Amino acid sequence: MRHTVPLRQNREFRSLYARGKNTAGVYLALYARKTRRDVTRLGVSVSGKLGGAVTRNRVRRRIKEAYRLQEDLFAAGFDIVVVARSKAIGADFTALKDELVKLGGRLGVTV
């Protein structure tokens, strides 16, 4: 991901959950907040309730790849957290990509 750095600290996730805007779809929930940075920071959260480590990591990789392929559509200067919902496990990859862009549009993150 060229213009995106990872969001890793738990306090950053919690701050975004508390102060950011959010929206949800069938497969994903998206939290976003405008920052003063030149880059976008992306975090992906997959609950342990969705399955074992293999399942969770597969969902996480698919979400990151969906974002990477659509990265040019997302504006710089945002903190974004994508939370996988239970239906994301069996979701078609194209549906994940489309929903990610649609949710970003709702929050004003996509250009």
Side-chain angles (χ1 to χ4, degrees), residues 43-96:
V44 178
S45 178
V46 182
S47 172
K49 294 178 183 179
L50 296 185
V54 173
T55 303
R56 292 193 315 268
N57 285 327
R58 181 177 296 127
V59 171
R60 188 176 297 117
R61 284 193 311 268
R62 293 178 80 209
I63 291 171
K64 285 182 179 181
E65 180 66 8
Y67 177 83
R68 187 189 69 81
L69 292 173
Q70 305 292 330
E71 185 176 17
D72 294 336
L73 299 177
F74 286 82
F78 282 91
D79 284 352
I80 301 171
V81 171
V82 181
V83 180
R85 301 183 80 186
S86 59
K87 290 188 179 183
I89 294 172
D92 183 48
F93 183 70
T94 306
L96 281 178

Side-chain angles (χ1 to χ4, degrees), residues 1-105:
M1 291 184 266
R2 295 185 315 253
H3 307 291
T4 306
V5 296
L7 192 66
R8 291 194 173 121
Q9 298 293 320
N10 186 24
R11 62 184 166 84
E12 295 168 338
F13 277 79
R14 285 183 294 155
S15 171
L16 188 55
Y17 292 145
R19 296 189 190 99
K21 296 180 189 176
N22 65 331
T23 186
V26 177
Y27 307 115
L28 306 170
L30 191 82
Y31 293 81
R33 183 176 179 203
K34 181 78 172 148
T35 63
R36 295 181 183 170
R37 293 181 173 83
D38 294 335
V39 294
T40 296
R41 298 190 306 169
L42 177 71
V44 178
S45 178
V46 182
S47 172
K49 294 178 183 179
L50 296 185
V54 173
T55 303
R56 292 193 315 268
N57 285 327
R58 181 177 296 127
V59 171
R60 188 176 297 117
R61 284 193 311 268
R62 293 178 80 209
I63 291 171
K64 285 182 179 181
E65 180 66 8
Y67 177 83
R68 187 189 69 81
L69 292 173
Q70 305 292 330
E71 185 176 17
D72 294 336
L73 299 177
F74 286 82
F78 282 91
D79 284 352
I80 301 171
V81 171
V82 181
V83 180
R85 301 183 80 186
S86 59
K87 290 188 179 183
I89 294 172
D92 183 48
F93 183 70
T94 306
L96 281 178
K97 280 191 336 187
D98 294 343
E99 184 162 298
L100 186 62
V101 172
K102 181 176 79 172
L103 294 176

